[in-house]
Amino acid sequence: MKQILLTVLLAGSLALPALSQVTSQDNPEYERQYEKPLKYRDWRVAVGGGYAYRLGKVQKTGDAKLDDLSKQLRNAFNLDADAQYFFKQGWGLGLNANYCSGKVSGDDITVEFQDGDRNITNYKETQNMLFVGPAFVARTESSKFLLVTSLALGPLFYMDEMDLDGRIVNANATTVGFNAGLAGEYKLSAKAGVGLKLSYTVGSVNSVKVEGQTAKFDEPMNVSNLMLTAFLSFRPW
């Protein structure tokens, strides 16, 4: 009888710590003490491409065909890249770069030169705009979705190449640009996501450099773009 009682007491003493541990794990205080902390400091890299629309009014040239080509140049494709580091759950700093490029061509176009107007049989023009700048970034997220907003300030490079019957004429200018973006992302996994980004870059130039000479405009030329980009995002660390 004593041996049976001793066995029961021994079994009870061995089970008590395990029962105590289970009870403590069910305790909210235990969960607060031992739960895995959330990671707020992390990188986010996003790259994508899409459609860009040139903002501002089209400057009139006096040639209907050339003005129509200028309107067509409003439509372009864009590439967009973000590299961001979040110091806190809701905000971080980063770098934004976006590139817009549009190309048109036409026949029998009248182009104005300093020594008079000339008729161009084969006319081609490519306009490129590149913005690069540091950005302030804010985010809101759930287990499956992420919303990122960004504001950036930096140089905006304008580059225009014209092919006039085989003669290449380059015009370029640099100004200060401002970029704002709103990106919605679906998380494919803890490391990757896909989404859409709506953004715009604002800037204007008063003159351009053409073959070493400065050509001034009667009024500032708008080099702003509204962009819609499909992107992939990665969290490498």
Side-chain angles (χ1 to χ4, degrees):
M1 183 66 178
K2 289 182 179 181
Q3 187 175 1
I4 296 175
L5 180 60
L6 183 60
T7 302
V8 172
L9 290 175
L10 181 60
S13 64
L14 292 174
L16 186 60
L19 180 61
S20 175
Q21 184 177 1
V22 172
T23 304
S24 63
Q25 290 179 355
D26 292 336
N27 192 320
E29 184 63 32
Y30 178 90
E31 293 179 356
R32 286 193 296 268
Q33 184 177 358
Y34 293 100
E35 66 182 356
K36 186 178 180 179
L38 294 176
K39 182 182 178 182
Y40 295 140
R41 293 175 179 263
D42 55 7
W43 285 91
R44 177 180 178 269
V45 177
V47 292
Y51 172 77
Y53 181 77
R54 178 83 169 271
L55 301 176
K57 65 179 182 179
V58 176
Q59 293 183 331
K60 299 296 183 180
T61 64
D63 184 89
K65 291 184 178 180
L66 190 57
D67 290 344
D68 183 63
L69 292 178
S70 297
K71 291 179 181 179
Q72 294 179 36
L73 273 175
R74 284 180 177 269
N75 303 293
F77 77 90
N78 84 291
L79 301 174
D80 187 275
D82 287 300
Q84 302 158 345
Y85 182 77
F86 291 90
F87 297 92
K88 299 291 184 180
Q89 180 181 6
W91 66 272
L93 298 176
L95 183 70
N96 173 257
N98 60 75
Y99 172 79
C100 300
S101 181
K103 186 175 183 179
V104 295
S105 62
D107 300 324
D108 297 324
I109 305 296
T110 301
V111 179
E112 181 181 353
F113 290 86
Q114 291 183 346
D115 57 353
D117 295 344
R118 298 180 189 175
N119 182 265
I120 305 300
T121 303
N122 296 309
Y123 178 93
K124 298 177 182 179
E125 184 175 4
T126 303
Q127 286 188 356
N128 303 312
M129 276 154 280
L130 173 65
F131 170 85
V132 181
F136 174 82
V137 189
R139 68 177 174 182
T140 301
E141 63 181 323
S142 64
S143 60
K144 282 294 183 181
F145 296 97
L146 173 66
L147 186 67
V148 178
T149 57
S150 61
L151 299 174
L153 186 69
L156 175 59
F157 304 95
Y158 169 78
M159 297 153 284
D160 189 357
E161 180 183 281
M162 291 171 285
D163 184 339
L164 311 176
D165 288 335
R167 178 191 174 188
I168 304 300
V169 178
N170 290 297
N172 57 77
T174 303
T175 187
V176 176
F178 172 78
N179 176 268
L182 175 64
E185 176 183 326
Y186 175 75
K187 298 178 182 179
L188 297 175
S189 66
K191 296 292 186 178
V194 296
L196 290 175
K197 179 180 180 181
L198 180 65
S199 61
Y200 67 91
T201 299
V202 179
S204 63
V205 296
N206 296 311
S207 62
V208 294
K209 290 283 187 180
V210 182
E211 299 181 338
Q213 297 183 349
T214 300
K216 294 186 177 180
F217 300 120
D218 295 333
E219 57 184 45
M221 181 176 67
N222 197 321
V223 290
S224 306
N225 284 283
L226 179 66
M227 296 162 284
L228 181 63
T229 306
F231 65 85
L232 293 172
S233 71
F234 307 93
R235 297 173 182 80
W237 297 281

